[in-house]
Amino acid sequence: MRHGLANKKLNRTSEHRKALLKNMLNSLIKYEQIKTTLPKAKFLKPQADKIITLGKKETLQTTKMLVSKLQDIKSANKVKKTLSKRYENRKGGYTRIIKAGFRYGDNAPMAIIEFVDRDVEAKRVDKPKKESPKTTEEKKQASA
């Protein structure tokens, strides 16, 4: 019988699975698109949709629940301020999974999970912006 089998175990302990989910949720919220294995993406999709739905409600309780689930205030703020506003007219289905072939090393099926109507610039959050030649000259003059 199938009683009590709520989600995939992913060959991990419960603590490792919870940490994996939290980290993948934070990465998905930060970059709005991540590449992972297909089973992990399928495990992440309903959780990400629930986070967005939770962020649409404007109460203190939902804010505390978001911070509790994500363990990151920046991610919780992004969900509350940008993502919930972007999807306020959408009833569900905030994420999509795109199959992306197989990994070279172990032939694992790969997938890209992303938000529908995502911000393309969010992918470059951590990359430093290229400096123009004028700013490098100004820095040299300031240090001299």
Side-chain angles (χ1 to χ4, degrees), residues 56-116:
K56 286 170 129 183
K57 298 180 182 117
E58 297 284 334
T59 62
L60 180 63
Q61 180 187 6
T62 57
T63 306
K64 287 182 177 184
M65 287 175 70
L66 279 174
V67 173
S68 171
K69 285 190 185 296
L70 297 173
Q71 297 288 309
D72 188 16
I73 295 172
K74 288 181 184 177
S75 295
N77 284 337
K78 184 172 181 183
V79 169
K80 292 286 283 183
K81 291 178 181 160
T82 56
L83 297 178
S84 64
K85 302 295 183 266
R86 187 185 305 165
Y87 299 120
E88 64 187 355
N89 295 327
R90 197 185 229 348
K91 300 255 188 270
Y94 310 112
T95 56
R96 74 166 65 103
I97 296 175
I98 303 166
K99 292 184 180 178
F102 297 92
R103 189 161 50 198
Y104 174 69
D106 58 355
N107 211 25
M110 298 300 287
I112 295 171
I113 182 167
E114 65 184 12
F115 285 120
V116 179

Side-chain angles (χ1 to χ4, degrees), residues 14-144:
S14 61
E15 294 299 319
H16 188 184
R17 194 169 47 250
K18 288 175 192 173
L20 174 80
L21 176 67
K22 180 185 67 167
N23 289 329
M24 287 196 328
L25 274 172
N26 282 324
S27 294
L28 181 63
I29 290 166
K30 184 175 182 182
Y31 300 114
E32 298 193 14
Q33 178 188 44
I34 57 173
K35 186 174 182 180
T36 183
T37 61
L38 186 61
K40 286 180 190 172
K42 287 181 177 179
F43 177 65
L44 179 65
K45 187 179 187 327
Q47 304 296 326
D49 288 347
K50 286 176 188 172
I51 290 288
I52 299 297
T53 305
L54 198 62
K56 286 170 129 183
K57 298 180 182 117
E58 297 284 334
T59 62
L60 180 63
Q61 180 187 6
T62 57
T63 306
K64 287 182 177 184
M65 287 175 70
L66 279 174
V67 173
S68 171
K69 285 190 185 296
L70 297 173
Q71 297 288 309
D72 188 16
I73 295 172
K74 288 181 184 177
S75 295
N77 284 337
K78 184 172 181 183
V79 169
K80 292 286 283 183
K81 291 178 181 160
T82 56
L83 297 178
S84 64
K85 302 295 183 266
R86 187 185 305 165
Y87 299 120
E88 64 187 355
N89 295 327
R90 197 185 229 348
K91 300 255 188 270
Y94 310 112
T95 56
R96 74 166 65 103
I97 296 175
I98 303 166
K99 292 184 180 178
F102 297 92
R103 189 161 50 198
Y104 174 69
D106 58 355
N107 211 25
M110 298 300 287
I112 295 171
I113 182 167
E114 65 184 12
F115 285 120
V116 179
D117 304 329
R118 71 184 176 92
D119 179 21
V120 180
E121 294 299 315
K123 197 75 175 142
R124 299 186 193 97
V125 170
D126 291 334
K127 293 182 182 175
K129 295 179 182 174
K130 293 183 180 177
E131 296 180 3
S132 63
K134 290 182 180 178
T135 57
T136 54
E137 290 175 11
E138 291 172 3
K139 284 185 179 179
K140 288 178 184 177
Q141 290 175 357
S143 64

